[in-house]
Amino acid sequence: AQSVSQHNHHVILSEAASLELGCNYSYGGTVNLFWYVQYPGQHLQLLLKYFSGDPLVKGIKGFEAEFIKSKFSFNLRKPSVQWSDTAEYFCAVNALSNDYKLSFGAGTTVTVRA
Amino acid sequence: EAQVTQNPRYLITVTGKKLTVTCSQNMNHEYMSWYRQDPGLGLRQIYYSMNVEVTDKGDVPEGYKVSRKEKRNFPLILESPSPNQTSLYFCASRDRTSYNSPLHFGNGTRLTVT
């Protein structure tokens, strides 16, 4: 079974600072990887996804993530955050062989101070 | 507009009083799923359905039931709610004909069981 670990529980930073959120997964086979964002009071929305090809994936709102297979990692980055990036961020993974089972990490709350 | 609709958004009930949270999607998706979100635990899958009349347990199915009589609807039933089922619930759907399609989430139902 796959599992997902997000290293940071709560990150607080100032506007224009760079953001990096760690995500590691445990599963030996081929996986699909996702980052979802949940703005305060809203439902989860897809930020970006990786299935194959270029391990550097670009998503919406200036976010990107890099898949490093050897490290089982899929870290999320943004060079310069804005106040509107305040949200909870979830990493998720599903095994290609079990695409009905999407496992989520515990989430990272990001607070951006103006 | 393509969407997943959950009702109600907020629900307060007492222990043991049966309740149903409805979920409906208008995207003709085969796959639907229920998650609960709890602080520090992320999203955990309760039940999922790969098509009409096909349902299966997720990671935390105890105390819940589901049905999938029609493609668009996937209600979550709590026969005898208990306080440990106080949580934020999300319904989601996706298109299984495309293996890399993302989940579409509803707006959530915040349930309080006293």
Side-chain angles (χ1 to χ4, degrees), chain B residues 4 7 15 46 58 61 68-70 77 86 91-92 96-97:
Chain B
V4 178
N7 280 297
T15 299
I46 303 171
R68 190 85 184 278
K69 292 182 170 46
E70 308 163 279
I77 303 154
T86 292
C91 180
R96 289 202 75 232
T97 61

Side-chain angles (χ1 to χ4, degrees), chain A residues 12-72:
Chain A
I12 302 172
L13 57 165
S14 300
E15 277 193 310
S18 64
L19 172 70
E20 180 160 1
L21 303 181
C23 172
N24 285 89
Y25 66 93
S26 65
Y27 184 72
T30 304
V31 294
N32 300 322
L33 297 154
F34 307 82
W35 275 98
Y36 282 86
V37 60
Q38 185 179 30
Y39 297 105
Q42 296 187 26
H43 63 282
L44 277 79
Q45 303 170 45
L46 182 67
L47 205 51
L48 49 78
K49 59 186 178 183
Y50 172 81
F51 297 114
S52 63
D54 188 345
L56 185 61
V57 180
K58 294 195 184 299
I60 60 172
K61 305 188 181 188
F63 285 90
E64 64 179 30
E66 184 175 13
F67 171 49
I68 303 179
K69 190 174 181 180
S70 61
K71 295 184 178 180
F72 297 89

Side-chain angles (χ1 to χ4, degrees), chain B residues 27-100:
Chain B
M27 295 167 279
N28 202 37
H29 287 167
E30 294 83 6
Y31 177 87
M32 298 185 74
S33 183
W34 276 102
Y35 291 85
R36 60 177 289 173
Q37 182 181 7
D38 301 289
L41 297 176
L43 276 79
R44 293 177 293 167
Q45 190 177 45
I46 303 171
Y47 268 94
Y48 63 92
S49 169
M50 289 196 281
N51 215 324
V52 176
E53 301 293 2
V54 180
T55 64
D56 212 340
K57 296 177 180 178
D59 295 321
V60 289
E62 294 78 20
Y64 304 95
K65 284 174 57 177
V66 292
S67 70
R68 190 85 184 278
K69 292 182 170 46
E70 308 163 279
K71 200 171 190 179
R72 62 183 289 124
N73 295 324
F74 190 45
L76 179 69
I77 303 154
L78 284 72
E79 294 272 3
S80 183
S82 61
N84 65 11
Q85 292 178 298
T86 292
S87 186
L88 179 58
Y89 292 86
F90 286 101
C91 180
S93 72
R94 60 171 276 228
D95 178 9
R96 289 202 75 232
T97 61
S98 173
Y99 79 95
N100 58 7

